[in-house]
Amino acid sequence: MSQKLGKASMRPEHPVYILNSASVVGTKEGQGPLGLLFDKVGEEDMFGCETWEDAESTLQKDAVGLALNKAGINPEDISFILAGDLLGQSIATSFGISSYQIPLLGVYGACSTCGESLILGAMSIAGGFADKVVCVTSSHFASAEKEFRFPLEYGNQRPLSATWTVTGSGAFILSGESAAGKGKPRACITGMTVGKIVDYGLKDSMNMGACMAPAAASTLEAHFTDFGCQPDQYDKIITGDLGKVGQRVLIDLLRDKGYDISEQHMDCGIEIFDADSQDTHAGGSGCGCSAVTLSAYILKQLEENNWKKVLFMPTGALLSKTSFNEGKSVPGIAHGLVIEAL
Amino acid sequence: MSQKLGKASMRPEHPVYILNSASVVGTKEGQGPLGLLFDKVGEEDMFGCETWEDAESTLQKDAVGLALNKAGINPEDISFILAGDLLGQSIATSFGISSYQIPLLGVYGACSTCGESLILGAMSIAGGFADKVVCVTSSHFASAEKEFRFPLEYGNQRPLSATWTVTGSGAFILSGESAAGKGKPRACITGMTVGKIVDYGLKDSMNMGACMAPAAASTLEAHFTDFGCQPDQYDKIITGDLGKVGQRVLIDLLRDKGYDISEQHMDCGIEIFDADSQDTHAGGSGCGCSAVTLSAYILKQLEENNWKKVLFMPTGALLSKTSFNEGKSVPGIAHGLVIEAL
């Protein structure tokens, strides 16, 4: 039986189990609405390191370690790790996970990387290429500001459309066997849709929600077509980090395509911070935003059967400081996964 | 039947065909020993663009277009594209391939990215998740020097251990059906080994061959163990861009592990330039180096039955200018593929 579905979607023959997962976040995320749900909240955002990049590496290392520990699985039992982050040449990953000595496949999809790593991880399990894989992604507010925008010391003003990069890392252990880990799996992956680059020509790196929303709309439309489904078949349709501006754009764009997702839509970036009291403007963003929200909040709702089936779709803005400063646009991309309660 | 083999290897149940491929290179590569074999040699290294980054994007766009054309396949018949490059946030890819409107999975493994994309591409085909995929990677001498080292205008001196980043892009079209394209497939992929990060603590970004050789040795040892094979079962064991220094280190390290590969070893970086007349020191490097050599030279040898079976193993140095300037080491990674004549 083919595992391919429609043009850009896949339905694994057997569900892929999320055996366990972990989330590690910084202080600001710990003070936010989801603060009590994270596995670990740092005491300070340097995590005992000397550079922001090392701090982000530590986030990944801790998230993977915690997830393995919670699942009762040793690093040597993992076939490979699919990992990525936002920094140039993915250095948070290279220096974060090397000590586990697990074979690595590095991935990059900007803030959609969590979705991409889970899609490729689920493919490796469902295709019979691996028994267990780890998917991990991270971002750090300070390393991201340094990488993409201005030095923090500059005290740059942020427009209201700007998002705040989440300091956090989420790690997930996937397997085709529901009894492979300690206890019961948290949920399972039953479908995937790979997104394409969508570029509306926007050039504002301080309004990434608007840059990414067209890609989210494109992937959602492809998903509904490929699976022959409607928005109301999901308890939640969850984007990664569109924030408040991008959410409005997405809902409007989809309405034009004949889909109303206003009832089901949720955005990890809107959930993770309290914009009023935390001064985070449009919401949270970054590779870590969707990853820690999936681990701490979304999987918990599925475990508690508050939700039965969600579409989890991290969104990414494909820019670098080089392309931005050379006057290029900020194209978007989004990858979707169907995640179901057991 | 499981497609997993040993700890970190995979053997697809059915061979994955390389339907066709294309290579596009810069002027220096065109003047090198393989010059006449490339599909397209640029007239000048800007490829008609205004920035080095755009020039690299053009390389990817042209390589994908040529490969599709040679295979007689339309972009809309491709399930997804696995692509990457060396620039921060993989912008050569984002701006190079977006016009094809093919769903994208971005990958990053430094100069090993060609191997990683082919492994994940072969997995998606062999797992039944896609009918046809494109794998493309690129590098450009000038965009890489700017990204990793010094401005070209600075006229920095290069030690003899340094390698010269190849300006080039190689694209490959994979399918499970040998009759899917125009004409006969070029070769097939019958095995894969995913490598892990190996860090000997070296910090010299001007001697990347030595930084990567330990990773190449590690992946080779894992490969020989997982497949229960010996070096002499391959006509060639081909690394990506170790150059002359890395080659010596690799052969010595493997001799210590009980394997003699001195007869079979070949390095794309050594083949692509004539070090004496082209002033390229230890050899060529970059994501594009192994990709264009595979397309133009290695697949040709397999097509002509000069070789029956090779192990193709691109090697990557996991550094960024940030990690390098913060005093971090340069860890290595290498991914291997068994490629056979039809």
Side-chain angles (χ1 to χ4, degrees), chain A:
Chain A
M1 199 183 91
S2 167
Q3 308 198 91
K4 182 175 187 289
L5 187 73
K7 267 195 79 71
S9 295
M10 295 161 277
R11 178 145 50 192
E13 269 184 73
H14 306 287
V16 174
Y17 297 98
I18 302 176
L19 291 183
N20 221 318
S21 68
S23 54
V24 180
V25 298
T27 50
K28 193 176 183 87
E29 293 71 21
Q31 291 153 7
L34 308 180
L36 294 174
L37 302 179
F38 299 117
D39 292 301
K40 183 175 173 183
V41 179
E43 287 172 32
E44 43 83 40
D45 290 342
M46 287 296 272
F47 287 80
C49 301
E50 290 189 358
T51 67
W52 297 121
E53 290 76 20
D54 272 352
E56 189 176 339
S57 289
T58 302
L59 288 172
Q60 281 206 17
K61 186 177 180 177
D62 288 356
V64 172
L66 274 170
L68 288 169
N69 201 29
K70 285 168 77 178
I73 288 171
N74 295 318
E76 50 270 32
D77 295 325
I78 301 294
S79 299
F80 41 80
I81 191 163
L82 294 128
D85 58 81
L86 297 178
L87 303 182
Q89 291 78 37
S90 295
I91 47 171
T93 296
S94 300
F95 295 99
I97 56 140
S98 65
S99 63
Y100 291 109
Q101 287 294 289
I102 301 171
L104 165 71
L105 293 162
V107 289
Y108 185 77
C111 305
S112 76
T113 306
C114 174
E116 185 189 341
S117 69
L118 289 168
I119 287 177
L120 287 166
M123 267 172 47
S124 12
I125 298 290
F129 299 102
D131 291 334
K132 297 180 200 79
V133 300
V134 171
C135 302
V136 62
T137 40
S138 67
S139 54
H140 191 297
F141 171 73
S143 64
E145 287 295 304
K146 174 175 157 185
E147 177 75 20
F148 291 98
R149 294 182 191 87
F150 297 100
L152 286 183
E153 295 82 353
Y154 180 71
N156 180 52
Q157 274 210 324
R158 303 158 52 80
L160 289 174
S161 60
T163 46
W164 186 280
T165 305
V166 164
T167 298
S169 174
F172 305 87
I173 300 173
L174 307 187
S175 171
E177 305 279 330
S178 64
K182 204 162 66 183
K184 198 168 156 267
R186 300 197 68 188
C188 63
I189 298 168
T190 59
M192 296 96 88
T193 299
V194 180
K196 60 186 179 182
I197 297 176
V198 179
D199 187 355
Y200 272 27
L202 302 177
K203 295 189 174 186
D204 186 357
S205 76
M206 294 291 188
N207 186 0
M208 298 207 299
C211 297
M212 297 185 286
S218 158
T219 304
L220 272 174
E221 190 184 20
H223 181 84
F224 294 142
T225 306
D226 288 348
F227 283 79
C229 69
Q230 288 292 325
D232 62 5
Q233 287 170 262
Y234 294 103
D235 293 304
K236 291 282 168 191
I237 293 171
I238 306 165
T239 48
D241 52 358
L242 293 184
K244 288 177 190 165
V245 177
Q247 181 181 49
R248 283 209 307 276
V249 180
L250 173 64
I251 289 172
D252 285 351
L253 283 174
L254 275 174
R255 201 165 275 145
D256 290 347
K257 293 173 194 278
Y259 296 103
D260 181 1
I261 62 158
S262 56
E263 283 287 313
Q264 291 82 25
H265 186 253
M266 177 188 126
D267 182 69
C268 300
I270 297 177
E271 300 297 319
I272 199 166
F273 293 125
D274 177 45
D276 294 332
S277 70
Q278 294 193 287
D279 197 30
T280 46
H281 300 349
S285 62
C287 268
C289 178
S290 55
V292 300
T293 306
L294 175 61
S295 179
Y297 181 62
I298 302 167
L299 292 181
K300 186 175 155 69
Q301 298 299 322
L302 290 165
E303 272 175 337
E304 294 175 355
N305 269 293
N306 299 326
W307 303 336
K308 297 283 184 199
K309 186 178 180 181
V310 301
L311 179 58
F312 174 68
M313 196 175 66
T315 35
L318 298 166
L319 82 160
S320 79
K321 59 175 168 285
T322 305
S323 64
F324 179 77
N325 286 321
E326 287 176 352
K328 306 287 279 188
S329 58
V330 182
I333 194 163
H335 301 298
L337 291 119
V338 183
I339 307 182
E340 298 190 48
L342 295 174

Side-chain angles (χ1 to χ4, degrees), chain B residues 17-20 177-188 303 342:
Chain B
Y17 297 98
I18 302 176
L19 291 184
N20 221 317
E177 305 280 329
S178 63
K182 204 163 63 182
K184 198 168 157 266
R186 301 198 68 186
C188 64
E303 272 176 336
L342 296 175

